[in-house]
Amino acid sequence: MKWSVFTVAVPDLSVEQVIPAAAEAGLHGIEWRCAPRPAEATSQPPSFWGNNLCTIEPGTAPEVLEGLSGQMREHGLDSAAVMPYLKVGDVEAAEEVMRIAQALGAPMMRIGVHGYNRSRPYRELYDEQMEYVAKLVPLLKHYGIRGLIETHHMTIAPSASAAYRIASSFDPEHIGVLFDPGNMVFEGYENHRMGLEMLGPYLAHVHVKNADVAAVRENNGPKLEWSPLERGFVRWQQVMEDLTAVGYDGYCGVEDFSGVHSSGDMLRGFVSLMKELADGAAARQEAGSSRGSSR
């Protein structure tokens, strides 16, 4: 497996600064946050979804993208993906992200998925979603990019099975699923091994974060909040064993929203943890195979 960072998680680093920081931490790739930066946000302190300095904006000039690609090559890094915030039906915005992804050499990009808040029937949202993805597929094929459906709470794809229901109507060469166990703490939890087995060739990418019960309760009960990777409901050792069991060898991208560590410490800690978990998963798989062959 390979390690990457989704730049939303390092809002205090510029797009130029994150490259040497990622290389120094031992990462293999970068997933670029792609979104407009509102003018009013630039005077605010860096934050994940506000004044995020580590963002590539739509409309970025080709020469700027080429420069970033050159810097990544110099540091031995790949562009793992481009991660925008697209609306279902906006094909023009999606194609702009495809242009950016192609210029950066990124093989994947996140596509829009309908939110779900009980205001519209699931069936209507699903039908619109399928029409939208069908329009994107020829463009994705043209640009050589794979579109990702992320398992995300408060959408019509909160679980592996819900994401698979959308993706499975399309060629896995063009449409895949971004598996995010941290999001599934809030909504959409299924046995991770079962979900990964269900996804099969549609499993394209994995995000790594965690969530736990907040110290302060809401009026109607416990509240969940983002937590450091090593603490929370996601048992990452088990997830790593499950990924190993299904033969996943793609990227695992950190998306730590806890804010507990500095960006540099977070990146280094992520790589250290992932290496430890991957080694443990491989050792357990080998031990299991040895026991099986000795019977």
Side-chain angles (χ1 to χ4, degrees), residues 30-49:
I30 296 176
E31 306 165 43
W32 294 103
R33 181 180 189 264
C34 183
R37 286 182 62 204
E40 62 272 16
T42 59
S43 61
Q44 301 169 359
S47 61
F48 298 128
W49 300 285

Side-chain angles (χ1 to χ4, degrees), residues 35-67:
R37 286 182 62 204
E40 62 272 16
T42 59
S43 61
Q44 301 169 359
S47 61
F48 298 128
W49 300 285
N51 185 24
N52 190 307
L53 305 181
C54 215
T55 297
I56 293 176
E57 296 193 67
T60 296
E63 56 269 25
V64 174
L65 301 175
E66 290 170 9

Side-chain angles (χ1 to χ4, degrees), residues 29-243:
I30 296 176
E31 306 165 43
W32 294 103
R33 181 180 189 264
C34 183
R37 286 182 62 204
E40 62 272 16
T42 59
S43 61
Q44 301 169 359
S47 61
F48 298 128
W49 300 285
N51 185 24
N52 190 307
L53 305 181
C54 215
T55 297
I56 293 176
E57 296 193 67
T60 296
E63 56 269 25
V64 174
L65 301 175
E66 290 170 9
L68 286 176
S69 292
Q71 291 177 51
M72 283 188 288
R73 285 193 299 271
E74 291 173 7
H75 286 83
L77 295 169
D78 293 323
S79 281
V82 176
M83 298 291 179
Y85 303 83
L86 298 171
K87 294 184 181 298
V88 171
D90 194 341
V91 175
E92 183 178 349
E95 186 170 11
E96 167 62 8
V97 178
M98 293 177 207
R99 180 190 70 81
I100 291 171
Q102 186 182 61
L104 290 170
M108 302 181 291
M109 61 170 277
R110 185 167 60 183
I111 64 174
V113 176
H114 261 314
Y116 183 81
N117 61 6
R118 295 184 171 90
S119 63
R120 293 183 61 196
Y122 168 81
R123 172 54 65 178
E124 288 183 10
L125 298 171
Y126 174 80
D127 289 345
E128 287 182 7
Q129 183 76 45
M130 298 301 284
E131 181 180 352
Y132 165 70
V133 179
K135 290 179 179 178
L136 292 185
V137 166
L139 291 170
L140 291 165
K141 185 176 180 179
H142 171 74
Y143 284 92
I145 309 295
R146 192 180 190 187
L148 302 180
I149 297 166
E150 182 176 8
T151 58
H152 203 295
H153 45 298
M154 300 178 69
T155 73
I156 63 169
S159 64
S161 58
Y164 178 77
R165 185 167 189 253
I166 299 168
S168 60
S169 293
F170 305 95
D171 188 331
E173 182 179 349
H174 307 306
I175 296 294
V177 172
L178 196 177
F179 188 75
D180 192 321
N183 287 341
M184 289 184 274
V185 171
F186 292 82
E187 180 189 6
Y189 173 76
E190 295 168 327
N191 182 293
H192 295 313
R193 179 79 64 92
M194 183 183 75
L196 295 169
E197 291 172 346
M198 184 188 311
L199 290 175
Y202 291 95
L203 175 61
H205 190 44
V206 177
H207 269 172
V208 181
K209 58 178 179 279
N210 217 333
D212 206 346
V213 176
V216 179
R217 294 170 63 90
E218 293 183 320
N219 293 334
N220 58 348
K223 176 185 177 182
L224 294 170
E225 66 179 7
W226 300 117
S227 65
L229 304 181
E230 63 276 9
R231 192 187 77 235
F233 283 96
V234 182
R235 297 168 55 208
W236 276 106
Q237 179 66 70
Q238 182 63 63
V239 176
M240 192 62 65
E241 291 178 22
D242 293 341
L243 289 167

